[in-house]
Amino acid sequence: MKIQLITILLLFLFTNAARSQNTIPDSLSHLISQAKQDSSKVLLLVKLSRGYQYSQPELSLQLAEMGLTIARKIKFKRGEARCLTAIGTEIGLTGNYPKSLELLLEALKIAEEINDKPGIANCYVYLGNSYADQGEFRKSIVYYRNAESVIESLDNEMLLMVTLINLGDSYEKLNSLDSARTNTEQGYKLCVRLNAEEQKGACLNNLGNIYSKMNKADTAMLFYRKSLPFSESTDNFETMCETNLGMAKLFRKAKQQDSALTYARLSMSIAQRTGFTKRILEASNFLSNFYEQINNVDSAYAYQKVSISARDSLFSQEKEKLLRNISFAEQTRQAEIANEALEAKEARRKNIQMAGIGVFIPTFLGIILYFSRRKKKSKTFQFMGLLGLLLLFEFIALFIHPYIEEWTHHTPVLMLLILVAIASILVPLHHKLEHWIKEKLAQNHHVKLTI
């Protein structure tokens, strides 16, 4: 807990000091070296990486990669999964979606292997983000819903808040504005309660997007203006790009061309400086169309070239093929997991039934023998005793049948031979026990009168 508090404080103090550097600042290096255990150092590096995720991508990546090296060296699986998630997320923000997806799925596998539920939920959220960045919003919603179902058992309001905000964003992109507003407003309530400054900026930006699509320009602009101070204070440059472009679109609708151009250029400048390729694509598309409409051909062409370059970087044919292959492999893996879960559930059901039968048969025989001493209907009890004996032998056959199938690999000839051999033992035994039970039950009804 003490390390966490120090981390949060230092993140606040050193973000500005480290802004222009590509290597880990001395202050952070000192903090990392102070961690007493390597596992604590790994988790600290992940936390620091997250702190620089939207402000200094290169530093964020460097911190996460350092954590991954240590985690693998000490075989710290939970830390390895968290570092892979951080690296995959950062790589995705720069536009390398196939590699991002590959790393996030690798992290998910590790988290599932060690049953790290917070890690699993975290992976689901960032996988949802990855698909949302690729424009596959329906897939992103599936992952966010998966995260939500895991979070229900964790009581983790911070993770729930992030999931709700992202859900709202995906619904907004699909133009399901009621669902978008509901989820975003729920997320914002948690932002306020948890005093999550960075998420407040993202949440208010998303509300601006929603109301812009609802053609409520004044309300949308109000939310955009509220969003910017939070994004600026937390150096969330990625959200700042989206907010500035959202404002540019509103000014353009309002025929305020100078303001539209100013905010679009600002969005473009931030995106290029921080390397967020998706935001470069969005801003360059806007600027190309803007200049085309005012017949500024040279500028329109220049931004069109930027747009084409960014699009190729994000969605080249090779990348599209890789993404399809990775997605298909993950769908197959998830289907296998679902089938294994169903098989395990069915096996548990059968085991419970077999255990119940195994308890019932000797209990049934015991009750018959017990009451046969006190009843005079010997034929009835003989029948019940034989019924119990029949159940016992059928249960034995039922119990060993799966093992016979496994031993023989479902070979009919071998199964037949083994079953015949077992029957040659059980049938004589059955007759002997049947004779014994008849005599036993009959004796129980011959009561001698003694004086």
Side-chain angles (χ1 to χ4, degrees), residues 24 32 38-39 41-47 49 60-88 91 99 103-104 106-107 110:
I24 298 175
I32 294 164
D38 285 338
S39 57
K41 191 178 293 185
V42 171
L43 296 177
L44 177 58
L45 284 163
V46 173
K47 190 180 289 291
S49 174
S60 174
L61 193 59
Q62 188 180 359
L63 290 162
E65 287 174 342
M66 181 185 291
L68 181 63
T69 301
I70 298 170
R72 284 177 171 170
K73 182 179 179 181
I74 64 174
K75 298 181 180 179
F76 180 34
K77 289 292 185 180
R78 182 163 66 94
E80 182 180 355
R82 300 293 170 85
C83 290
L84 285 169
T85 304
I87 294 169
I91 288 175
K99 188 62 178 178
L103 292 169
L104 290 171
E106 186 181 349
I110 295 172

Side-chain angles (χ1 to χ4, degrees), residues 109-121:
K109 289 177 186 177
I110 295 172
E112 288 172 343
E113 286 172 7
I114 62 175
N115 196 30
D116 176 16
K117 289 189 175 181
I120 292 170

Side-chain angles (χ1 to χ4, degrees), residues 111-156:
E112 288 172 343
E113 286 172 7
I114 62 175
N115 196 30
D116 176 16
K117 289 189 175 181
I120 292 170
N122 210 37
C123 287
Y124 281 147
V125 169
Y126 285 105
L127 281 164
N129 291 351
S130 180
Y131 280 111
D133 287 340
Q134 297 169 49
E136 297 193 45
F137 300 108
R138 297 193 187 280
K139 278 188 179 180
S140 73
I141 288 171
V142 171
Y143 278 103
Y144 293 143
R145 290 298 184 194
N146 288 343
E148 203 173 23
S149 64
V150 176
I151 294 167
E152 286 177 358
S153 62
L154 297 178
D155 191 27
N156 188 326

Side-chain angles (χ1 to χ4, degrees), residues 55-241:
S55 57
Q56 296 184 72
E58 290 184 10
L59 177 57
S60 174
L61 193 59
Q62 188 180 359
L63 290 162
E65 287 174 342
M66 181 185 291
L68 181 63
T69 301
I70 298 170
R72 284 177 171 170
K73 182 179 179 181
I74 64 174
K75 298 181 180 179
F76 180 34
K77 289 292 185 180
R78 182 163 66 94
E80 182 180 355
R82 300 293 170 85
C83 290
L84 285 169
T85 304
I87 294 169
T89 301
E90 200 59 63
I91 288 175
L93 287 171
T94 60
N96 192 343
Y97 297 142
K99 188 62 178 178
S100 170
L101 198 57
E102 181 183 335
L103 292 169
L104 290 171
L105 290 173
E106 186 181 349
L108 178 60
K109 289 177 186 177
I110 295 172
E112 288 172 343
E113 286 172 7
I114 62 175
N115 196 30
D116 176 16
K117 289 189 175 181
I120 292 170
N122 210 37
C123 287
Y124 281 147
V125 169
Y126 285 105
L127 281 164
N129 291 351
S130 180
Y131 280 111
D133 287 340
Q134 297 169 49
E136 297 193 45
F137 300 108
R138 297 193 187 280
K139 278 188 179 180
S140 73
I141 288 171
V142 171
Y143 278 103
Y144 293 143
R145 290 298 184 194
N146 288 343
E148 203 173 23
S149 64
V150 176
I151 294 167
E152 286 177 358
S153 62
L154 297 178
D155 191 27
N156 188 326
E157 287 191 326
M158 181 65 75
L159 199 49
L160 177 60
M161 173 194 69
V162 172
T163 305
L164 288 169
I165 295 171
N166 290 332
L167 259 175
D169 186 52
S170 286
Y171 277 123
E172 177 261 310
K173 298 300 187 292
L174 290 171
N175 295 318
S176 299
L177 300 182
D178 288 338
S179 296
R181 184 168 60 179
T182 299
N183 283 283
T184 307
E185 287 177 347
Q186 289 175 357
Y188 185 68
K189 288 179 182 177
L190 287 173
C191 284
V192 174
R193 185 192 305 171
L194 300 172
N195 196 28
E197 299 290 296
E198 184 174 342
Q199 286 76 18
K200 279 182 185 177
C203 203
L204 290 166
N205 168 78
N206 293 355
L207 286 169
N209 292 339
I210 293 166
Y211 280 101
S212 179
K213 283 190 173 182
M214 295 172 69
N215 294 318
K216 296 182 178 180
D218 291 342
T219 305
M221 184 63 77
L222 179 63
F223 279 118
Y224 285 141
R225 293 194 184 281
K226 285 183 176 180
S227 170
L228 278 175
F230 291 110
S231 299
E232 289 168 355
S233 66
T234 57
D235 284 341
N236 189 338
F237 296 130
E238 208 251 352
T239 300
M240 288 167 62
C241 291

Side-chain angles (χ1 to χ4, degrees), residues 330-395:
E330 176 59 12
Q331 287 173 4
T332 303
R333 190 182 76 87
Q334 290 295 337
E336 289 173 355
I337 291 173
N339 287 334
E340 287 174 3
L342 287 174
E343 289 174 1
K345 184 178 180 181
E346 181 65 19
R348 283 195 299 271
R349 187 181 67 81
K350 288 181 178 179
N351 289 337
I352 291 171
Q353 289 183 1
M354 293 293 283
I357 294 170
V359 172
F360 169 76
I361 291 173
T363 304
F364 179 73
L365 287 170
I367 291 172
I368 295 300
L369 290 172
Y370 175 79
F371 281 102
S372 66
R373 298 175 181 275
R374 291 164 172 74
K375 303 292 181 181
K376 295 183 179 181
K377 296 179 181 180
S378 59
K379 289 184 178 180
T380 302
F381 282 100
Q382 282 183 16
F383 172 76
M384 298 296 286
L386 294 176
L387 178 61
L389 190 61
L390 182 62
L391 288 171
L392 174 62
F393 280 91
E394 289 300 322
F395 172 71

Side-chain angles (χ1 to χ4, degrees), residues 237-427:
F237 296 130
E238 208 251 352
T239 300
M240 288 167 62
C241 291
E242 187 175 1
T243 303
N244 281 300
L245 190 60
M247 295 172 71
K249 291 175 181 177
L250 290 177
F251 282 123
R252 186 179 180 183
K253 284 183 180 179
K255 307 297 183 183
Q256 299 181 41
Q257 307 291 30
D258 290 343
S259 295
L261 185 59
T262 298
Y263 281 97
R265 282 176 171 171
L266 181 57
S267 177
M268 184 71 171
S269 173
I270 296 170
Q272 288 180 321
R273 188 173 72 249
T274 52
F276 295 134
T277 311
K278 179 187 174 184
R279 301 305 176 191
I280 293 172
L281 175 62
E282 292 171 348
S284 59
N285 279 338
F286 178 91
L287 287 164
S288 177
N289 291 332
F290 179 90
Y291 281 116
E292 184 179 356
Q293 285 190 346
I294 62 173
N295 296 317
N296 188 332
V297 178
D298 291 340
S299 295
Y301 177 70
Y303 281 111
Q304 188 179 44
K305 286 178 64 178
V306 174
S307 173
I308 292 171
S309 176
R311 184 175 296 280
D312 287 343
S313 176
L314 292 173
F315 305 112
S316 66
Q317 289 185 354
E318 184 180 351
K319 283 189 175 181
E320 290 284 353
K321 184 178 178 181
L322 282 171
L323 285 169
R324 283 196 299 270
N325 291 340
I326 294 169
S327 295
F328 178 76
E330 176 59 12
Q331 287 173 4
T332 303
R333 190 182 76 87
Q334 290 295 337
E336 289 173 355
I337 291 173
N339 287 334
E340 287 174 3
L342 287 174
E343 289 174 1
K345 184 178 180 181
E346 181 65 19
R348 283 195 299 271
R349 187 181 67 81
K350 288 181 178 179
N351 289 337
I352 291 171
Q353 289 183 1
M354 293 293 283
I357 294 170
V359 172
F360 169 76
I361 291 173
T363 304
F364 179 73
L365 287 170
I367 291 172
I368 295 300
L369 290 172
Y370 175 79
F371 281 102
S372 66
R373 298 175 181 275
R374 291 164 172 74
K375 303 292 181 181
K376 295 183 179 181
K377 296 179 181 180
S378 59
K379 289 184 178 180
T380 302
F381 282 100
Q382 282 183 16
F383 172 76
M384 298 296 286
L386 294 176
L387 178 61
L389 190 61
L390 182 62
L391 288 171
L392 174 62
F393 280 91
E394 289 300 322
F395 172 71
I396 293 171
L398 181 66
F399 181 79
I400 64 175
H401 192 269
Y403 297 102
I404 295 172
E405 287 184 327
E406 184 177 347
W407 294 333
T408 61
H409 302 288
H410 298 270
T411 305
V413 174
L414 291 177
M415 288 178 65
L416 179 63
L417 291 174
I418 292 173
L419 288 170
V420 169
I422 293 172
S424 67
I425 298 171
L426 291 181
V427 170

